[in-house]
Amino acid sequence: MPVPWFLLSLALGRSPVVLSLERLVGPQDATHCSPGLSCRLWDSDILCLPGDIVPAPGPVLAPTHLQTELVLRCQKETDCDLCLRVAVHLAVHASLQAQVVLSFQAYPTARCVLLEVQVPAALVQFGQSVGSVVYDCFEAALGSEVRIWSYTQPRYEKELNHTQQLPDCRGLEVWNSIPSCWALPWLNVSADGDNVHLVLNVSEEQHFGLSLYWNQVQGPPKPRWHKNLTGPQIITLNHTDLVPCLCIQVWPLEPDSVRTNICPFREDPRAHQNLWQAARLRLLTLQSWLLDAPCSLPAEAALCWRAPGGDPCQPLVPPLSWENVTVDKVLEFPLLKGHPNLCVQVNSSEKLQLQECLWADSLGPLKDDVLLLETRGPQDNRSLCALEPSGCTSLPSKASTRAARLGEYLLQDLQSGQCLQLWDDDLGALWACPMDKYIHKRWALVWLACLLFAAALSLILLLKKDHAKAAARGRAALLLYSADDSGFERLVGALASALCQLPLRVAVDLWSRRELSAQGPVAWFHAQRRQTLQEGGVVVLLFSPGAVALCSEWLQDGVSGPGAHGPHDAFRASLSCVLPDFLQGRAPGSYVGACFDRLLHPDAVPALFRTVPVFTLPSQLPDFLGALQQPRAPRSGRLQERAEQVSRALQPALDSYFHPPGTPAPGRGVGPGAGPGAGDGT
């Protein structure tokens, strides 16, 4: 019977855990096998070249299971090395004409050995185990992680693999039998609030190396920090630096010293939280992306759709499915087009850990698009629904959601090719349909109505503001009088000053002599009258005997007669435009008349001017002040108070005019209709 071969490969990694160990005496490797089998170890190692899988010409002997055991290889009782025993279980799967190989591989070096195994014909049963072969033994570094592969040569089937964690000196009950453990630095890890302390308890003379690295499931470790130190040390790590794969390696700075490895943060909740905070999704192409993270982690990913407005991202499962994620391995989604609303969700232990909208950086911010899910059934049957926060709304639908209301338009856009197809297969498809144009159409009239309402409201507020402003400034009042004499002018000035204390803006020629001289009486009066009436003001005709005489002359002759009136007498000039207002009936509401008690009776005022109210002062001051208010202004409860205020301000001027010291006041009793006692010397 031909002799097949095995190759056993061991690769070193990191981590410990073991108890008391069997001792092997002697430095030589050896092999033995199950009863009935014959086996031998080749004298020298071979190249680790498994080759490609080739078709088996017939039944072959193949490895079916790997089993490992830690032992000690000792030269003396206290001079031992850690060693790994490997047992390979065999079965007949094909012709025994092939060689069967075992391979050992250890990081950072590789070693392959060849075992020869012969199976008697009596033991050959197809598919049944025929026994095992044991190899003693593969020496490995303390604290290592050993990886083992087993395959045939030629290789007819996929190789077996196995990983074995080796202890460091602290995990062995027989550490005092291993010389390399005697001078090993002892390392402890302690926590202090947010910080972690690495405490190395060694003698002050001892020199040692310390390295921090990220242990990787695939590939070599990633160094993070290395330093040579002396004596006892306490090294502080910030809690944000902790990740589950952060490991510590420490060794004496001596030739061929044993390195101790410890990974104390594998189960630390803070380390796992930091790992996810450091993880990043990176878009490579339209369809490919990868997960960057310091350590390997169990995770699965799926696409989700995120709409504007802060609603949660909705997983697209189904129609798509969750995919297992491997750190730093390129993954692909079967997308036809990218979209800024497409995001990637990464879950671990059924908890969302990471979400990023990878396409937003290149395609811009989120869009107000609706995602349509098309489901295809047998006989070309298909159904459509629109993805919304409340679920997927069938189209067409009578629901009250936004997509349902616009369902007819969305279907038209889909048929006309205005929607973007993101994914397609035999079971369905995904489409992104824009919504902004419908939003614009729907809200255009609303915006127009709002704008019109805002404009009307602004106009009303402006009018109210102008009205309030005018009310605050007071109504304009133009005071016209005949300058009978200087005493009467002082009386008019006192009345005008008293009216200014009220919300009235009084214009009188006494206070505008410079403008009156520059413009002339006619031009000045016309300008003042036009401005007063345009602002909704009132013209006050203050009648005196001289004014009555001038009015009578105008009514009889149509022109003013000569008189001894001064150059600033605007009353004469004002009659040219005052009379047309009265003759054409425009005076009511814009004019009022007034005269002083004891100076002129109201009946003496020409009938034409009595078409507007004529008040005697100060006896009818409340009514007079009421007539000077704005036409629609409410009657103020303070009107009587204001009338008393004007009366008090006017009284000294009245007393001075009607009771002057010495001779009677000039002009008293001049003209028709003088009051009682006027001109009679009593």
PDB file of all heavy atoms in Angstrom, residues 584-617:
ATOM      1  N   GLN A 584     -69.250 127.365  -2.212  1.00  0.00           N
ATOM      2  CA  GLN A 584     -69.423 126.070  -2.881  1.00  0.00           C
ATOM      3  C   GLN A 584     -69.727 124.934  -1.899  1.00  0.00           C
ATOM      4  O   GLN A 584     -69.778 123.778  -2.286  1.00  0.00           O
ATOM      5  CB  GLN A 584     -68.154 125.739  -3.670  1.00  0.00           C
ATOM      6  CG  GLN A 584     -67.885 126.743  -4.790  1.00  0.00           C
ATOM      7  CD  GLN A 584     -66.547 126.503  -5.479  1.00  0.00           C
ATOM      8  OE1 GLN A 584     -65.963 125.430  -5.338  1.00  0.00           O
ATOM      9  NE2 GLN A 584     -66.084 127.506  -6.219  1.00  0.00           N
ATOM     10  N   GLY A 585     -69.936 125.250  -0.619  1.00  0.00           N
ATOM     11  CA  GLY A 585     -70.345 124.251   0.360  1.00  0.00           C
ATOM     12  C   GLY A 585     -69.235 123.316   0.812  1.00  0.00           C
ATOM     13  O   GLY A 585     -69.520 122.231   1.347  1.00  0.00           O
ATOM     14  N   ARG A 586     -67.961 123.688   0.654  1.00  0.00           N
ATOM     15  CA  ARG A 586     -66.852 122.823   1.077  1.00  0.00           C
ATOM     16  C   ARG A 586     -66.374 123.133   2.488  1.00  0.00           C
ATOM     17  O   ARG A 586     -65.483 122.446   2.999  1.00  0.00           O
ATOM     18  CB  ARG A 586     -65.671 122.969   0.113  1.00  0.00           C
ATOM     19  CG  ARG A 586     -65.972 122.557  -1.319  1.00  0.00           C
ATOM     20  CD  ARG A 586     -64.672 122.424  -2.106  1.00  0.00           C
ATOM     21  NE  ARG A 586     -63.929 123.665  -2.134  1.00  0.00           N
ATOM     22  CZ  ARG A 586     -63.987 124.570  -3.113  1.00  0.00           C
ATOM     23  NH1 ARG A 586     -64.799 124.355  -4.156  1.00  0.00           N
ATOM     24  NH2 ARG A 586     -63.271 125.673  -3.071  1.00  0.00           N
ATOM     25  N   ALA A 587     -66.965 124.157   3.116  1.00  0.00           N
ATOM     26  CA  ALA A 587     -66.452 124.600   4.404  1.00  0.00           C
ATOM     27  C   ALA A 587     -66.799 123.674   5.565  1.00  0.00           C
ATOM     28  O   ALA A 587     -65.958 123.455   6.451  1.00  0.00           O
ATOM     29  CB  ALA A 587     -66.947 126.018   4.703  1.00  0.00           C
ATOM     30  N   PRO A 588     -68.028 123.109   5.667  1.00  0.00           N
ATOM     31  CA  PRO A 588     -68.353 122.277   6.832  1.00  0.00           C
ATOM     32  C   PRO A 588     -67.360 121.124   6.981  1.00  0.00           C
ATOM     33  O   PRO A 588     -67.014 120.445   6.024  1.00  0.00           O
ATOM     34  CB  PRO A 588     -69.763 121.777   6.525  1.00  0.00           C
ATOM     35  CG  PRO A 588     -70.346 122.821   5.626  1.00  0.00           C
ATOM     36  CD  PRO A 588     -69.206 123.302   4.777  1.00  0.00           C
ATOM     37  N   GLY A 589     -66.914 120.919   8.218  1.00  0.00           N
ATOM     38  CA  GLY A 589     -65.948 119.885   8.517  1.00  0.00           C
ATOM     39  C   GLY A 589     -64.518 120.349   8.458  1.00  0.00           C
ATOM     40  O   GLY A 589     -63.632 119.731   9.057  1.00  0.00           O
ATOM     41  N   SER A 590     -64.274 121.457   7.717  1.00  0.00           N
ATOM     42  CA  SER A 590     -62.903 121.951   7.592  1.00  0.00           C
ATOM     43  C   SER A 590     -62.728 123.335   8.202  1.00  0.00           C
ATOM     44  O   SER A 590     -61.586 123.792   8.353  1.00  0.00           O
ATOM     45  CB  SER A 590     -62.492 122.007   6.113  1.00  0.00           C
ATOM     46  OG  SER A 590     -62.547 120.734   5.514  1.00  0.00           O
ATOM     47  N   TYR A 591     -63.820 123.998   8.519  1.00  0.00           N
ATOM     48  CA  TYR A 591     -63.763 125.349   9.079  1.00  0.00           C
ATOM     49  C   TYR A 591     -64.598 125.381  10.356  1.00  0.00           C
ATOM     50  O   TYR A 591     -65.623 124.692  10.470  1.00  0.00           O
ATOM     51  CB  TYR A 591     -64.325 126.379   8.101  1.00  0.00           C
ATOM     52  CG  TYR A 591     -63.437 126.661   6.911  1.00  0.00           C
ATOM     53  CD1 TYR A 591     -63.407 125.804   5.817  1.00  0.00           C
ATOM     54  CD2 TYR A 591     -62.652 127.818   6.878  1.00  0.00           C
ATOM     55  CE1 TYR A 591     -62.610 126.062   4.721  1.00  0.00           C
ATOM     56  CE2 TYR A 591     -61.857 128.086   5.778  1.00  0.00           C
ATOM     57  CZ  TYR A 591     -61.832 127.202   4.703  1.00  0.00           C
ATOM     58  OH  TYR A 591     -61.037 127.481   3.621  1.00  0.00           O
ATOM     59  N   VAL A 592     -64.186 126.195  11.307  1.00  0.00           N
ATOM     60  CA  VAL A 592     -64.999 126.561  12.470  1.00  0.00           C
ATOM     61  C   VAL A 592     -64.799 128.057  12.709  1.00  0.00           C
ATOM     62  O   VAL A 592     -63.765 128.634  12.326  1.00  0.00           O
ATOM     63  CB  VAL A 592     -64.614 125.769  13.739  1.00  0.00           C
ATOM     64  CG1 VAL A 592     -64.898 124.289  13.571  1.00  0.00           C
ATOM     65  CG2 VAL A 592     -63.166 126.005  14.112  1.00  0.00           C
ATOM     66  N   GLY A 593     -65.795 128.677  13.333  1.00  0.00           N
ATOM     67  CA  GLY A 593     -65.700 130.090  13.667  1.00  0.00           C
ATOM     68  C   GLY A 593     -65.659 130.290  15.170  1.00  0.00           C
ATOM     69  O   GLY A 593     -66.096 129.428  15.936  1.00  0.00           O
ATOM     70  N   ALA A 594     -65.126 131.426  15.611  1.00  0.00           N
ATOM     71  CA  ALA A 594     -65.052 131.734  17.038  1.00  0.00           C
ATOM     72  C   ALA A 594     -64.981 133.241  17.212  1.00  0.00           C
ATOM     73  O   ALA A 594     -64.519 133.979  16.313  1.00  0.00           O
ATOM     74  CB  ALA A 594     -63.843 131.060  17.666  1.00  0.00           C
ATOM     75  N   CYS A 595     -65.469 133.704  18.361  1.00  0.00           N
ATOM     76  CA  CYS A 595     -65.356 135.106  18.733  1.00  0.00           C
ATOM     77  C   CYS A 595     -65.279 135.187  20.254  1.00  0.00           C
ATOM     78  O   CYS A 595     -65.603 134.223  20.945  1.00  0.00           O
ATOM     79  CB  CYS A 595     -66.536 135.928  18.201  1.00  0.00           C
ATOM     80  SG  CYS A 595     -68.150 135.347  18.787  1.00  0.00           S
ATOM     81  N   PHE A 596     -64.804 136.299  20.754  1.00  0.00           N
ATOM     82  CA  PHE A 596     -64.636 136.451  22.194  1.00  0.00           C
ATOM     83  C   PHE A 596     -65.894 137.048  22.811  1.00  0.00           C
ATOM     84  O   PHE A 596     -66.531 137.953  22.247  1.00  0.00           O
ATOM     85  CB  PHE A 596     -63.442 137.345  22.494  1.00  0.00           C
ATOM     86  CG  PHE A 596     -62.124 136.675  22.196  1.00  0.00           C
ATOM     87  CD1 PHE A 596     -61.405 137.042  21.073  1.00  0.00           C
ATOM     88  CD2 PHE A 596     -61.619 135.695  23.038  1.00  0.00           C
ATOM     89  CE1 PHE A 596     -60.205 136.451  20.795  1.00  0.00           C
ATOM     90  CE2 PHE A 596     -60.412 135.104  22.764  1.00  0.00           C
ATOM     91  CZ  PHE A 596     -59.690 135.460  21.634  1.00  0.00           C
ATOM     92  N   ASP A 597     -66.261 136.512  24.006  1.00  0.00           N
ATOM     93  CA  ASP A 597     -67.365 137.095  24.767  1.00  0.00           C
ATOM     94  C   ASP A 597     -67.082 138.583  25.002  1.00  0.00           C
ATOM     95  O   ASP A 597     -65.925 138.993  25.148  1.00  0.00           O
ATOM     96  CB  ASP A 597     -67.504 136.378  26.126  1.00  0.00           C
ATOM     97  CG  ASP A 597     -68.003 134.948  25.952  1.00  0.00           C
ATOM     98  OD1 ASP A 597     -68.814 134.710  25.049  1.00  0.00           O
ATOM     99  OD2 ASP A 597     -67.536 134.064  26.727  1.00  0.00           O
ATOM    100  N   ARG A 598     -68.142 139.368  25.058  1.00  0.00           N
ATOM    101  CA  ARG A 598     -68.070 140.800  25.372  1.00  0.00           C
ATOM    102  C   ARG A 598     -67.420 141.593  24.265  1.00  0.00           C
ATOM    103  O   ARG A 598     -67.369 142.821  24.346  1.00  0.00           O
ATOM    104  CB  ARG A 598     -67.310 141.045  26.678  1.00  0.00           C
ATOM    105  CG  ARG A 598     -67.952 140.372  27.888  1.00  0.00           C
ATOM    106  CD  ARG A 598     -67.087 140.470  29.110  1.00  0.00           C
ATOM    107  NE  ARG A 598     -66.756 141.868  29.405  1.00  0.00           N
ATOM    108  CZ  ARG A 598     -65.839 142.276  30.270  1.00  0.00           C
ATOM    109  NH1 ARG A 598     -65.143 141.352  30.943  1.00  0.00           N
ATOM    110  NH2 ARG A 598     -65.607 143.560  30.477  1.00  0.00           N
ATOM    111  N   LEU A 599     -66.892 140.920  23.181  1.00  0.00           N
ATOM    112  CA  LEU A 599     -66.299 141.673  22.070  1.00  0.00           C
ATOM    113  C   LEU A 599     -67.189 141.611  20.846  1.00  0.00           C
ATOM    114  O   LEU A 599     -67.331 142.610  20.131  1.00  0.00           O
ATOM    115  CB  LEU A 599     -64.910 141.129  21.740  1.00  0.00           C
ATOM    116  CG  LEU A 599     -64.150 141.859  20.636  1.00  0.00           C
ATOM    117  CD1 LEU A 599     -63.902 143.321  21.034  1.00  0.00           C
ATOM    118  CD2 LEU A 599     -62.831 141.160  20.323  1.00  0.00           C
ATOM    119  N   LEU A 600     -67.839 140.461  20.607  1.00  0.00           N
ATOM    120  CA  LEU A 600     -68.669 140.311  19.419  1.00  0.00           C
ATOM    121  C   LEU A 600     -69.711 139.248  19.691  1.00  0.00           C
ATOM    122  O   LEU A 600     -69.407 138.190  20.243  1.00  0.00           O
ATOM    123  CB  LEU A 600     -67.813 139.909  18.205  1.00  0.00           C
ATOM    124  CG  LEU A 600     -68.534 139.879  16.870  1.00  0.00           C
ATOM    125  CD1 LEU A 600     -68.857 141.315  16.410  1.00  0.00           C
ATOM    126  CD2 LEU A 600     -67.691 139.173  15.804  1.00  0.00           C
ATOM    127  N   HIS A 601     -70.973 139.538  19.292  1.00  0.00           N
ATOM    128  CA  HIS A 601     -72.037 138.562  19.424  1.00  0.00           C
ATOM    129  C   HIS A 601     -72.008 137.652  18.209  1.00  0.00           C
ATOM    130  O   HIS A 601     -71.786 138.106  17.092  1.00  0.00           O
ATOM    131  CB  HIS A 601     -73.409 139.253  19.539  1.00  0.00           C
ATOM    132  CG  HIS A 601     -74.461 138.349  20.061  1.00  0.00           C
ATOM    133  ND1 HIS A 601     -75.120 137.433  19.278  1.00  0.00           N
ATOM    134  CD2 HIS A 601     -75.001 138.217  21.321  1.00  0.00           C
ATOM    135  CE1 HIS A 601     -75.990 136.783  19.992  1.00  0.00           C
ATOM    136  NE2 HIS A 601     -75.947 137.248  21.259  1.00  0.00           N
ATOM    137  N   PRO A 602     -72.260 136.366  18.350  1.00  0.00           N
ATOM    138  CA  PRO A 602     -72.218 135.459  17.184  1.00  0.00           C
ATOM    139  C   PRO A 602     -73.181 135.857  16.080  1.00  0.00           C
ATOM    140  O   PRO A 602     -72.908 135.594  14.900  1.00  0.00           O
ATOM    141  CB  PRO A 602     -72.587 134.092  17.786  1.00  0.00           C
ATOM    142  CG  PRO A 602     -72.216 134.185  19.230  1.00  0.00           C
ATOM    143  CD  PRO A 602     -72.454 135.623  19.615  1.00  0.00           C
ATOM    144  N   ASP A 603     -74.303 136.508  16.447  1.00  0.00           N
ATOM    145  CA  ASP A 603     -75.253 136.894  15.410  1.00  0.00           C
ATOM    146  C   ASP A 603     -74.682 137.952  14.491  1.00  0.00           C
ATOM    147  O   ASP A 603     -75.205 138.171  13.380  1.00  0.00           O
ATOM    148  CB  ASP A 603     -76.551 137.413  16.048  1.00  0.00           C
ATOM    149  CG  ASP A 603     -77.301 136.305  16.789  1.00  0.00           C
ATOM    150  OD1 ASP A 603     -77.017 135.107  16.468  1.00  0.00           O
ATOM    151  OD2 ASP A 603     -78.107 136.604  17.666  1.00  0.00           O
ATOM    152  N   ALA A 604     -73.628 138.672  14.935  1.00  0.00           N
ATOM    153  CA  ALA A 604     -73.030 139.703  14.094  1.00  0.00           C
ATOM    154  C   ALA A 604     -72.199 139.114  12.967  1.00  0.00           C
ATOM    155  O   ALA A 604     -71.833 139.815  12.015  1.00  0.00           O
ATOM    156  CB  ALA A 604     -72.162 140.627  14.951  1.00  0.00           C
ATOM    157  N   VAL A 605     -71.850 137.808  13.054  1.00  0.00           N
ATOM    158  CA  VAL A 605     -71.075 137.139  11.993  1.00  0.00           C
ATOM    159  C   VAL A 605     -71.968 137.000  10.779  1.00  0.00           C
ATOM    160  O   VAL A 605     -73.136 136.594  10.886  1.00  0.00           O
ATOM    161  CB  VAL A 605     -70.582 135.759  12.474  1.00  0.00           C
ATOM    162  CG1 VAL A 605     -69.854 135.010  11.354  1.00  0.00           C
ATOM    163  CG2 VAL A 605     -69.674 135.938  13.684  1.00  0.00           C
ATOM    164  N   PRO A 606     -71.491 137.356   9.568  1.00  0.00           N
ATOM    165  CA  PRO A 606     -72.311 137.230   8.362  1.00  0.00           C
ATOM    166  C   PRO A 606     -72.892 135.826   8.233  1.00  0.00           C
ATOM    167  O   PRO A 606     -72.274 134.813   8.604  1.00  0.00           O
ATOM    168  CB  PRO A 606     -71.341 137.564   7.231  1.00  0.00           C
ATOM    169  CG  PRO A 606     -70.316 138.456   7.867  1.00  0.00           C
ATOM    170  CD  PRO A 606     -70.173 137.956   9.266  1.00  0.00           C
ATOM    171  N   ALA A 607     -74.103 135.749   7.707  1.00  0.00           N
ATOM    172  CA  ALA A 607     -74.839 134.490   7.638  1.00  0.00           C
ATOM    173  C   ALA A 607     -74.063 133.410   6.875  1.00  0.00           C
ATOM    174  O   ALA A 607     -74.141 132.218   7.195  1.00  0.00           O
ATOM    175  CB  ALA A 607     -76.205 134.738   7.000  1.00  0.00           C
ATOM    176  N   LEU A 608     -73.338 133.816   5.811  1.00  0.00           N
ATOM    177  CA  LEU A 608     -72.594 132.833   5.024  1.00  0.00           C
ATOM    178  C   LEU A 608     -71.607 132.057   5.890  1.00  0.00           C
ATOM    179  O   LEU A 608     -71.431 130.839   5.722  1.00  0.00           O
ATOM    180  CB  LEU A 608     -71.851 133.544   3.880  1.00  0.00           C
ATOM    181  CG  LEU A 608     -70.986 132.646   2.995  1.00  0.00           C
ATOM    182  CD1 LEU A 608     -71.828 131.627   2.242  1.00  0.00           C
ATOM    183  CD2 LEU A 608     -70.182 133.506   2.002  1.00  0.00           C
ATOM    184  N   PHE A 609     -70.983 132.711   6.844  1.00  0.00           N
ATOM    185  CA  PHE A 609     -69.965 132.058   7.671  1.00  0.00           C
ATOM    186  C   PHE A 609     -70.571 131.285   8.836  1.00  0.00           C
ATOM    187  O   PHE A 609     -69.866 130.528   9.506  1.00  0.00           O
ATOM    188  CB  PHE A 609     -68.975 133.107   8.201  1.00  0.00           C
ATOM    189  CG  PHE A 609     -68.188 133.760   7.096  1.00  0.00           C
ATOM    190  CD1 PHE A 609     -68.539 135.035   6.633  1.00  0.00           C
ATOM    191  CD2 PHE A 609     -67.119 133.106   6.512  1.00  0.00           C
ATOM    192  CE1 PHE A 609     -67.814 135.628   5.624  1.00  0.00           C
ATOM    193  CE2 PHE A 609     -66.405 133.724   5.500  1.00  0.00           C
ATOM    194  CZ  PHE A 609     -66.749 134.979   5.045  1.00  0.00           C
ATOM    195  N   ARG A 610     -71.887 131.486   9.081  1.00  0.00           N
ATOM    196  CA  ARG A 610     -72.527 130.722  10.134  1.00  0.00           C
ATOM    197  C   ARG A 610     -72.998 129.346   9.653  1.00  0.00           C
ATOM    198  O   ARG A 610     -73.681 128.640  10.388  1.00  0.00           O
ATOM    199  CB  ARG A 610     -73.706 131.511  10.714  1.00  0.00           C
ATOM    200  CG  ARG A 610     -73.280 132.762  11.498  1.00  0.00           C
ATOM    201  CD  ARG A 610     -74.347 133.220  12.467  1.00  0.00           C
ATOM    202  NE  ARG A 610     -75.607 133.542  11.816  1.00  0.00           N
ATOM    203  CZ  ARG A 610     -75.946 134.720  11.304  1.00  0.00           C
ATOM    204  NH1 ARG A 610     -75.078 135.719  11.414  1.00  0.00           N
ATOM    205  NH2 ARG A 610     -77.115 134.921  10.736  1.00  0.00           N
ATOM    206  N   THR A 611     -72.659 128.989   8.413  1.00  0.00           N
ATOM    207  CA  THR A 611     -72.923 127.626   7.946  1.00  0.00           C
ATOM    208  C   THR A 611     -72.000 126.619   8.626  1.00  0.00           C
ATOM    209  O   THR A 611     -72.175 125.408   8.486  1.00  0.00           O
ATOM    210  CB  THR A 611     -72.734 127.538   6.427  1.00  0.00           C
ATOM    211  OG1 THR A 611     -71.417 127.987   6.081  1.00  0.00           O
ATOM    212  CG2 THR A 611     -73.778 128.414   5.724  1.00  0.00           C
ATOM    213  N   VAL A 612     -70.996 127.112   9.335  1.00  0.00           N
ATOM    214  CA  VAL A 612     -70.135 126.254  10.154  1.00  0.00           C
ATOM    215  C   VAL A 612     -70.335 126.690  11.595  1.00  0.00           C
ATOM    216  O   VAL A 612     -70.805 127.808  11.864  1.00  0.00           O
ATOM    217  CB  VAL A 612     -68.651 126.377   9.736  1.00  0.00           C
ATOM    218  CG1 VAL A 612     -68.463 125.950   8.280  1.00  0.00           C
ATOM    219  CG2 VAL A 612     -68.134 127.798   9.968  1.00  0.00           C
ATOM    220  N   PRO A 613     -70.018 125.852  12.576  1.00  0.00           N
ATOM    221  CA  PRO A 613     -70.212 126.235  13.978  1.00  0.00           C
ATOM    222  C   PRO A 613     -69.391 127.484  14.328  1.00  0.00           C
ATOM    223  O   PRO A 613     -68.241 127.625  13.909  1.00  0.00           O
ATOM    224  CB  PRO A 613     -69.714 125.017  14.752  1.00  0.00           C
ATOM    225  CG  PRO A 613     -69.787 123.880  13.789  1.00  0.00           C
ATOM    226  CD  PRO A 613     -69.520 124.456  12.444  1.00  0.00           C
ATOM    227  N   VAL A 614     -70.010 128.398  15.078  1.00  0.00           N
ATOM    228  CA  VAL A 614     -69.340 129.594  15.580  1.00  0.00           C
ATOM    229  C   VAL A 614     -69.469 129.578  17.100  1.00  0.00           C
ATOM    230  O   VAL A 614     -70.577 129.509  17.634  1.00  0.00           O
ATOM    231  CB  VAL A 614     -69.942 130.879  14.991  1.00  0.00           C
ATOM    232  CG1 VAL A 614     -69.241 132.106  15.579  1.00  0.00           C
ATOM    233  CG2 VAL A 614     -69.856 130.877  13.474  1.00  0.00           C
ATOM    234  N   PHE A 615     -68.344 129.573  17.809  1.00  0.00           N
ATOM    235  CA  PHE A 615     -68.325 129.446  19.261  1.00  0.00           C
ATOM    236  C   PHE A 615     -67.841 130.747  19.879  1.00  0.00           C
ATOM    237  O   PHE A 615     -66.994 131.442  19.314  1.00  0.00           O
ATOM    238  CB  PHE A 615     -67.387 128.305  19.678  1.00  0.00           C
ATOM    239  CG  PHE A 615     -67.742 126.975  19.056  1.00  0.00           C
ATOM    240  CD1 PHE A 615     -67.077 126.535  17.915  1.00  0.00           C
ATOM    241  CD2 PHE A 615     -68.739 126.180  19.605  1.00  0.00           C
ATOM    242  CE1 PHE A 615     -67.384 125.325  17.348  1.00  0.00           C
ATOM    243  CE2 PHE A 615     -69.046 124.958  19.035  1.00  0.00           C
ATOM    244  CZ  PHE A 615     -68.377 124.522  17.888  1.00  0.00           C
ATOM    245  N   THR A 616     -68.414 131.079  21.075  1.00  0.00           N
ATOM    246  CA  THR A 616     -67.947 132.225  21.843  1.00  0.00           C
ATOM    247  C   THR A 616     -66.979 131.737  22.906  1.00  0.00           C
ATOM    248  O   THR A 616     -67.179 130.688  23.535  1.00  0.00           O
ATOM    249  CB  THR A 616     -69.129 132.955  22.514  1.00  0.00           C
ATOM    250  OG1 THR A 616     -69.838 132.033  23.339  1.00  0.00           O
ATOM    251  CG2 THR A 616     -70.061 133.525  21.462  1.00  0.00           C
ATOM    252  N   LEU A 617     -65.911 132.493  23.096  1.00  0.00           N
ATOM    253  CA  LEU A 617     -64.838 132.112  24.006  1.00  0.00           C
ATOM    254  C   LEU A 617     -64.723 133.140  25.123  1.00  0.00           C
ATOM    255  O   LEU A 617     -64.883 134.346  24.864  1.00  0.00           O
ATOM    256  CB  LEU A 617     -63.513 132.019  23.242  1.00  0.00           C
ATOM    257  CG  LEU A 617     -63.489 131.108  22.003  1.00  0.00           C
ATOM    258  CD1 LEU A 617     -62.124 131.138  21.352  1.00  0.00           C
ATOM    259  CD2 LEU A 617     -63.887 129.686  22.354  1.00  0.00           C
TER     260      LEU A 617
END
